């Protein structure tokens, strides 16, 4: 099972605009732009840090899992995303170890990636997102726009 790198660190915030100056001005990071991820009920921005990125997550409504996270634990680190060779193989191995998962099958995330979330109980408190670049896996890179 191959974990290649930390793809990004997801940070839950109530209001992205109010923290952007910290990341963009105090840290000098580039903001790649806003994106809405409807099925997770969030608006996000990615800010690259070398090979990795910060992902700021702002809930779109009170039903969003991120809104519930902030209500329970406050703003802060929400998940750590690992770039893996195979999301499905990693999930299979975790199932065999009896670990608690949120997603039992890979699902499609943004940017042609397969993703899955592992329950924080599996790691004593840190939610892990698994991510696999499908363009890379298919061996037929599609031009990015
Ligand atoms: Zn993420």
């Amino acid at each position: 099972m191959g974990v290649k790198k930390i793809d990004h660190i997801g940070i839950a915030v109530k209001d992205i605009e109010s923290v952007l100056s910290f990341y963009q001005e105090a840290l000098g990071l580039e903001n790649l732009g806003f994106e809405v991820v409807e099925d997770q009920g969030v608006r996000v921005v990615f800010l690259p840090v070398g090979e990795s990125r910060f992902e700021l997550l702002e809930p779109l409504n009170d039903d969003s899992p991120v809104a519930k996270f902030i209500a329970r634990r406050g703003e802060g680190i929400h998940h750590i995303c690992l770039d893996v060779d195979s999301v499905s193989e990693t999930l299979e191995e975790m199932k065999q170890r009896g670990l608690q998962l949120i997603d039992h099958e890979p699902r499609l995330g943004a940017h042609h990636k397969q993703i899955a979330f592992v329950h924080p109980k599996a790691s004593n408190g840190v939610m892990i997102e698994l991510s696999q670049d499908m363009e890379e896996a298919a061996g037929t890179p599609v031009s990015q726009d």
Side-chain angles (χ1 to χ4, degrees):
M1 175 175 74
V3 176
K4 295 193 279 189
K5 65 175 185 187
I6 292 178
D7 186 81
H8 63 267
I9 297 174
I11 299 172
V13 299
K14 291 176 188 166
D15 173 30
I16 288 177
E17 270 86 359
S18 71
V19 294
L20 266 183
S21 67
F22 174 76
Y23 291 96
Q24 288 188 269
E25 289 158 33
L27 294 179
L29 302 176
E30 184 193 358
N31 172 5
L32 296 185
F34 284 87
E35 261 175 81
V36 170
V37 186
E38 290 287 354
D39 79 313
Q40 290 169 55
V42 289
R43 191 167 74 124
V44 306
V45 298
F46 281 99
L47 303 108
V49 184
E51 277 211 312
S52 188
R53 295 171 294 167
F54 285 124
E55 176 186 35
L56 303 180
L57 303 132
E58 173 193 292
L60 292 173
N61 54 60
D62 290 345
D63 294 330
S64 160
V66 173
K68 289 173 184 159
F69 174 90
I70 291 173
R72 214 168 47 243
R73 298 176 60 168
E75 295 177 296
I77 293 179
H78 177 263
H79 65 269
I80 294 176
C81 179
L82 301 175
D83 185 12
V84 297
D85 289 327
S86 166
V87 171
S88 57
E89 280 175 26
T90 307
L91 286 177
E92 213 40 60
E93 178 147 343
M94 287 185 171
K95 279 182 214 169
Q96 282 168 18
R97 290 173 185 272
L99 294 171
Q100 199 170 337
L101 304 174
I102 291 173
D103 295 310
H104 291 262
E105 302 294 333
R107 57 188 162 105
L108 199 61
H111 309 133
H112 305 279
K113 290 187 179 203
Q114 268 193 352
I115 62 157
F117 283 97
V118 181
H119 199 282
K121 281 185 182 160
S123 65
N124 292 35
V126 179
M127 181 149 71
I128 299 291
E129 178 182 3
L130 305 170
S131 170
Q132 174 186 358
D133 194 330
M134 297 314 285
E135 290 171 1
E136 212 171 82
T140 50
V142 179
S143 63
Q144 300 269 359
D145 52 11

